[in-house]
Amino acid sequence: EPEVTQTPSHQVTQMGQEVILRCVPISNHLYFYWYRQILGQKVEFLVSFYNNEISEKSEIFDDQFSVERPDGSNFTLKIRSTKLEDSAMYFCASNSVGSPLHFGNGTRLTVT
Amino acid sequence: SQQGEEDPQALSIQEGENATMNCSYKTSINNLQWYRQNSGRGLVHLILIRSNEREKHSGRLRVTLDTSKKSSSLLITASRAADTASYFCAISSQGGSEKLVFGKGTKLTVNP
């Protein structure tokens, strides 16, 4: 069964550094998402992406965050200047119209 | 907040027993979904119930939805140790773009 893949599985970075989290959604899916989960807390929506543009974003998704689909297969989340509070699991997801989301296994981001 | 809220927060049962988890929400919904998360892993979609449905079954899973009470329940029958995981409800208020709002989850432990 096709799956969403995310790399790296764990990323450690220093405060103020830029990070790029990578995702390969399922190939015939049209909608892409990023969610995050701070340790022990609920999963929070960050952004949805369709037809090469952001369709919706949350309050968390401020100017420090950006998404891109650079080459038709990858879907990336960039955090320009990481803060300690950005430490979390970041999940990529994708779906086609009317179908449930398929999530990747996540990237654990640790900001020191 | 429109988020789903599960209860109990934690549930510990013996193998073979049934496990019931509840979810309440505050807004009108398009559909409600249940996901499972093993420790440190991604979210796996279990079942989706639409706002005009009252009950749905999938294998050992049974989901009910009461839109008048804005609540849903997930029943796992004849539980197994492998069912040990966190279970989240997520609500979708819009058709199309799946911005899901997750609850905090119920941590289920099934003891062998």
Side-chain angles (χ1 to χ4, degrees):
Chain A
E1 187 175 328
E3 56 182 30
V4 175
T5 56
Q6 290 185 242
T7 54
S9 56
H10 192 185
Q11 173 90 48
V12 181
T13 189
Q14 288 191 327
M15 197 167 52
Q17 294 296 304
E18 174 183 287
V19 293
I20 298 176
L21 309 183
R22 303 181 190 280
C23 170
V24 180
I26 294 173
S27 60
N28 63 346
H29 285 178
L30 299 176
Y31 299 88
F32 315 111
Y33 311 84
W34 283 99
Y35 285 78
R36 81 170 185 191
Q37 184 180 32
I38 295 171
L39 185 64
Q41 299 191 24
K42 59 183 171 70
V43 177
E44 300 173 291
F45 169 80
L46 291 179
V47 66
S48 59
F49 191 86
Y50 170 71
N51 201 25
N52 280 322
E53 59 183 28
I54 291 173
S55 46
E56 191 167 2
K57 59 183 181 180
S58 71
E59 293 173 355
I60 303 167
F61 195 88
D62 61 22
D63 292 345
Q64 293 300 312
F65 291 86
S66 62
V67 289
E68 194 177 29
R69 189 157 161 78
D71 57 14
S73 61
N74 290 285
F75 179 51
T76 61
L77 174 69
K78 183 193 290 186
I79 309 175
R80 287 190 185 82
S81 178
T82 51
K83 303 187 282 283
L84 294 175
E85 53 265 38
D86 293 328
S87 294
M89 282 288 284
Y90 287 81
F91 293 104
C92 173
S94 68
N95 71 333
S96 50
V97 176
S99 75
L101 299 189
H102 293 251
F103 283 84
N105 281 329
T107 293
R108 180 174 298 282
L109 176 65
T110 302
V111 182
T112 62
Chain B
S1 167
Q2 63 189 87
Q3 68 191 46
E5 294 290 348
E6 295 91 339
D7 80 88
Q9 290 185 355
L11 180 62
S12 181
I13 59 173
Q14 296 299 123
E15 233 177 359
E17 294 180 339
N18 295 341
T20 299
M21 289 160 271
N22 302 297
C23 170
S24 60
Y25 57 91
K26 296 181 181 178
T27 64
S28 60
I29 62 170
N30 178 277
N31 64 71
L32 185 146
Q33 304 177 34
W34 285 91
Y35 285 81
R36 165 196 168 121
Q37 184 183 37
N38 284 54
S39 181
R41 305 280 289 181
L43 295 140
V44 175
H45 178 261
L46 296 176
I47 200 163
L48 180 153
I49 187 164
R50 301 190 192 285
S51 59
N52 61 351
E53 297 176 311
R54 292 296 166 258
E55 188 171 311
K56 213 160 181 182
H57 296 254
S58 176
R60 293 184 295 112
L61 305 180
R62 173 177 168 250
V63 167
T64 61
L65 178 65
D66 186 336
T67 51
S68 66
K69 294 181 180 177
K70 291 187 165 52
S71 67
S72 173
S73 67
L74 170 67
L75 168 68
I76 304 174
T77 59
S79 63
R80 305 166 182 166
D83 294 329
T84 295
S86 291
Y87 292 83
F88 296 87
C89 71
I91 60 172
S92 171
S93 299
Q94 308 151 279
S97 175
E98 286 292 1
K99 175 191 170 183
L100 295 178
V101 179
F102 284 82
K104 292 182 180 178
T106 292
K107 187 172 173 64
L108 173 67
T109 302
V110 182
N111 301 299

